[in-house]
Amino acid sequence: IVGYTLGDFRYKNTVLHNVLASVDVDYKGYKCSVGSGWSLDERKKYAEDPESLVGKTLKVKYFEETTNDKGEKSMRFPTKVFLYGKDGRFD
């Protein structure tokens, strides 16, 4: 994980403000955002200390790899599967 975005999140007819919206990951040398797969508790927890995510490893599943007109690679429909700590163990 190389970065993160905090923002609004819609949940059961309410909007939660300033929670984890997505994280940025390095995918084959390109920055890609992963916003799906995070639980509500994780979104709240990491909003309190988002810097703690930077440097951790995220296992992501996605539908397919895409390439834009500039040749930049990305993941289509990326979803968080597992978050690993900086020591490589499940976080």
Side-chain angles (χ1 to χ4, degrees):
I1 297 176
V2 296
Y4 55 86
T5 301
L6 300 180
D8 295 342
F9 181 72
R10 295 173 194 250
Y11 180 75
K12 292 188 178 181
N13 299 323
T14 62
V15 178
L16 301 172
H17 301 285
N18 204 34
V19 296
L20 181 69
S22 65
V23 297
D24 298 325
V25 297
D26 178 13
Y27 178 72
K28 298 185 178 181
Y30 302 98
K31 187 166 67 168
C32 299
S33 291
V34 179
S36 295
W38 299 94
S39 71
L40 184 59
D41 289 337
E42 288 173 320
R43 290 179 188 278
K44 290 177 182 178
K45 172 186 169 185
Y46 291 117
E48 293 175 11
D49 184 18
E51 279 297 318
S52 68
L53 287 167
V54 177
K56 292 184 176 181
T57 300
L58 187 66
K59 181 176 181 178
V60 178
K61 70 176 180 175
Y62 57 94
F63 179 68
E64 66 183 349
E65 181 180 283
T66 61
T67 305
N68 68 13
D69 56 353
K70 296 178 186 175
E72 300 169 334
K73 298 198 179 299
S74 185
M75 297 174 279
R76 189 168 181 202
F77 308 125
T79 303
K80 170 200 162 266
V81 177
F82 295 112
L83 178 65
Y84 297 94
K86 294 177 183 176
D87 59 2
R89 292 183 293 173
F90 182 69
D91 194 28

